[in-house]
Amino acid sequence: MAETYTKADLVADVATKKDISKAEAARIVDLVIDLIKNELGDGNDVKISGLFTAKVSTSEARKGVHPRTREEIDIPAKKRVKFTPAAVIKRTVAGE
């Protein structure tokens, strides 16, 4: 089973490769994450070439059926984020 690359791993790698402290690397990583999160929260799409595209979409309110009671229910509108990996990521994962 593959290992999970965590935020702590990313911070450690940034610190090592840029020869900075882990605290400074953590601030940089947190800043990038916050910038992406805020843009998505504002409803903007985010495209980071070579990594991913994240698009915000809204599903319309609709009617549904409660699976247990079979009662009709209202399902509210909802915002979602769809992440699509860049082509280079797809090729890397596929081993090409």
Side-chain angles (χ1 to χ4, degrees):
M1 178 137 181
E3 292 185 32
T4 301
Y5 187 74
T6 66
K7 182 178 170 183
D9 296 328
L10 178 60
V11 167
D13 286 348
V14 169
T16 300
K17 290 185 191 292
K18 287 304 189 181
D19 195 26
I20 59 177
S21 70
K22 283 188 179 181
E24 182 64 19
R27 284 192 290 275
I28 293 167
V29 169
D30 286 339
L31 174 64
V32 171
I33 291 170
D34 286 342
L35 290 169
I36 293 169
K37 182 173 56 177
N38 291 339
E39 286 300 316
L40 292 170
D42 290 343
N44 299 320
D45 295 344
V46 174
K47 180 176 183 177
I48 305 207
S49 296
L51 190 58
F52 68 86
T53 299
K55 292 188 176 194
V56 178
S57 64
T58 304
S59 64
E60 299 294 323
R62 59 192 168 93
K63 297 283 185 190
V65 177
H66 189 287
R68 200 173 309 149
T69 64
R70 299 309 223 187
E71 183 179 328
E72 188 175 274
I73 57 172
D74 291 321
I75 301 172
K78 186 178 191 179
K79 285 188 178 181
R80 293 187 165 90
V81 178
K82 179 181 179 189
F83 288 91
T84 305
V88 68
I89 298 295
K90 290 179 184 180
R91 287 192 302 271
T92 300
V93 170
E96 297 176 8

